[in-house]
Amino acid sequence: MVTKQQKLCPEVIKFLSSAPKKMLINGEFVESLSGKTFDTINPATEELIVKVYEADKEDINRAVNAARTAFEGCWKKVTPYQRQQLLFKLADLIEKHGEEFAELESLNNGKAIKEARALDVPFTVEHIRYYAGWATKIHGETISVSCGNYFNYTLREPVGVVGQIIPWNFPLIMAAWKIAAAIACGCCVVLKPAEQTPLTALRLGELIMEAGFPEGVINICPGFGPTSGAALAAHMDVDKVAFTGETSTGREIVKASAFNLKRVSLELGGKSPNIVFKDGDIDAAAQGAFNAVFFNQGQVCCAGSRLFVEKPVYEELTSKLASIINKIKVGTGLDLETDMGPVVSHDQFKKVLEYLEIGKKEGAKAVCGGSKVNDPNLQKGYFVEPTLFTNATNKMRVAREEIFGPVICAIPFTDIDEVVTQANDTVYGLGAGIWTKDIKKAHRVANVLKAGTVWINCYSAFDVASPFGGCKQSGYGRECGKDALDLYTQIKSVWVNLD
Ligand code: NAI
Ligand code: MG
């Protein structure tokens, strides 16, 4: 039964009524030069939400030119303190309009409105405020040189015009992660949201202009990967590209970046191990294993989708996990009681269902879920059952390939060496979890796991101050924390002859 539906607030209705939605270039909302539009679909109903103008190569050229003009012109005159104030103003505006963002995000991405309200919106605001604080604290150093009588110092300068290409799983948070650090460092931005989820980024664009950012400093151009995304990655006047998404797309971006050798940072896929030892707190580990995968419909890059469980506690842990999974209420995102909404798109729906079949054929046992949702009220929309595969091995495709859906594979293990080898036996290296009460074991294992983040007796703990990113084919560069400043600044060394 579909129950208490959140009604869209008047501001969201107004936002959706001016269609097709225009892109933000040089301080103005404009149509695409080609006049082409694309459909934005509600994943809970498969209905059109609104049409959006589609950026292609020519529009990206316009946006990059605007960003370059701003970077070499008006933006140079804006002080670090003024950049800070602009970011604070933007964060205040997002907070003020928080309910609109939660509703738009839920409508467009499918996620549960209660999740969007509790996480996506406040996390975005906090993120922007954190980098606002950094704007006034970025500086070079003086260096004691031994080669003669010189004064040597460094300047930490913005890299210039940055292209930012983001995915659809956290559309608003990803836009904030990308934009806030770049602006704090003094860069100008062309952001390309994912074609599935352009709406909160476009609303953000309106608030960017209301906050008073000079024209051209932040440009937002929705479009498809092979056209607008590829144009941005290859553009000769873009100094850096920051990307979050699939590993294979990351490879394309690196190739495209070769034309002008622009700098690249990549936050890519994962197949993260979450390891439960028999001496761990099994109740906490079951809840942690659940949290590691089943939020945001499992569409989380660091999802702990390979759950390694020491044999003596395998039965206990998987049955506790199953009983938590069975309580999930699947429904439309705007239903106030929904815990888990639909996956984002028809493509993603097809992909996840294919993997469920692959898993069953490989001999994994779906003790929860295993197919699309049967509820007669949810036959329109991309609803997948939250799925727990037991009997899984690390060799199965469902344990090796990123599914990016509400699917977890529980794999038994016998000893610490075996589990470390298996946990590291993946092309990815994004996140990892460890559950044990033995503090020495916890640190020993954390040391040898190949991952950008290791969580001990927790999973998916996030803070804007703590760096996030991967190793191996999960990418390079770190977002969040002060490390993200390295992505958007470069060092200049200045020598003064004192003789
Ligand atoms: P994708 O990586 O292709 O798309 C992400 C962004 O990149 C979008 O804005 C897209 O338009 C853009 N893009 C696509 N091709 C491009 C190209 N050649 N040049 C420049 N930009 C390009 O991800 P997609 O196809 O939407 O999803 C496929 C799979 O990727 C998912 O099933 C999931 O496994 C993985 N994925 C991982 C994410 C993560 O955060 N690690 C996020 C999104 C998807
Ligand atoms: Mg793709």
Side-chain angles (χ1 to χ4, degrees), residues 12-187:
V12 169
I13 292 170
K14 183 169 161 243
F15 175 79
L16 295 176
S17 68
S18 68
K21 298 308 302 173
K22 295 175 177 172
M23 59 190 86
L24 176 61
I25 297 180
N26 204 26
E28 281 183 68
F29 283 89
V30 296
E31 300 176 4
S32 53
L33 286 173
S34 67
K36 275 196 289 187
T37 62
F38 64 96
D39 292 348
T40 299
I41 300 297
N42 178 346
T45 61
E46 302 178 40
E47 286 163 3
L48 174 73
I49 304 172
V50 67
K51 285 187 180 292
V52 174
Y53 279 107
E54 179 192 333
D56 64 15
K57 192 175 174 188
E58 294 310 317
D59 301 300
I60 293 295
N61 283 342
R62 282 198 290 170
V64 171
N65 289 344
R68 174 60 62 194
T69 305
F71 183 74
E72 304 297 346
C74 62
W75 196 229
K76 283 229 173 351
K77 300 188 195 94
V78 175
T79 65
Y81 178 72
Q82 289 168 326
R83 294 206 300 272
Q84 171 189 281
Q85 294 305 94
L86 284 165
L87 286 169
F88 276 138
K89 182 81 195 291
L90 178 60
D92 291 348
L93 284 170
I94 297 168
E95 195 166 54
K96 183 173 151 202
H97 295 274
E99 177 57 20
E100 287 167 55
F101 279 101
E103 289 175 22
L104 267 180
E105 201 75 319
S106 174
L107 188 69
N108 194 175
N109 161 282
K111 67 178 72 196
I113 180 90
K114 62 184 174 194
E115 218 169 84
R117 282 180 184 148
L119 189 123
D120 297 71
V121 175
F123 200 35
T124 296
V125 171
E126 188 183 346
H127 195 91
I128 295 173
R129 289 196 177 128
Y130 173 86
Y131 282 103
W134 269 116
T136 52
K137 295 158 197 75
I138 298 167
H139 50 70
E141 297 176 321
T142 57
I143 319 278
S144 311
V145 291
S146 307
C147 61
N149 192 14
Y150 297 101
F151 173 48
N152 178 229
Y153 66 95
T154 61
L155 297 171
R156 191 174 264 269
E157 300 180 330
V159 295
V161 172
V162 299
Q164 304 185 317
I165 302 171
I166 58 172
W168 38 259
N169 52 343
F170 295 98
L172 179 64
I173 291 178
M174 286 295 111
W177 275 29
K178 295 283 183 283
I179 289 174
I183 292 297
C185 292
C187 295

Side-chain angles (χ1 to χ4, degrees), residues 251-328:
R251 254 177 232 121
E252 293 305 312
I253 285 173
V254 171
K255 282 187 217 156
S257 73
F259 289 110
N260 69 337
L261 295 173
K262 62 174 64 64
R263 297 154 59 120
V264 179
S265 54
L266 302 170
E267 204 266 271
L268 308 174
K271 196 74 196 178
S272 299
N274 187 15
I275 304 170
V276 182
F277 289 100
K278 64 175 190 274
D279 61 359
D281 176 336
I282 301 305
D283 287 314
Q287 187 61 49
F290 173 81
N291 297 343
V293 171
F294 293 97
F295 97 100
N296 208 37
Q297 295 75 250
Q299 300 166 147
V300 182
C301 51
C302 58
S305 49
R306 290 184 297 148
L307 177 64
F308 290 99
V309 189
E310 200 161 359
K311 274 185 183 149
V313 294
Y314 186 83
E315 276 309 317
E316 182 189 352
L317 184 113
T318 51
S319 67
K320 284 184 168 157
L321 175 57
S323 67
I324 305 173
I325 293 173
N326 287 332
K327 292 198 192 94
I328 297 179

Side-chain angles (χ1 to χ4, degrees), residues 380-398:
K380 272 268 170 205
Y382 312 126
F383 295 96
V384 179
E385 289 180 329
T387 299
L388 167 58
F389 276 132
T390 58
N391 267 359
T393 72
N394 200 45
K395 294 269 175 263
M396 292 179 175
R397 281 184 64 195
V398 282

Side-chain angles (χ1 to χ4, degrees), residues 25 51 60 154 209 241 319 409 441 469 475 495 497:
I25 297 180
K51 285 187 180 292
I60 293 295
T154 61
M209 296 323 296
V241 66
S319 67
C409 296
K441 181 157 67 180
W495 292 79
N497 186 350

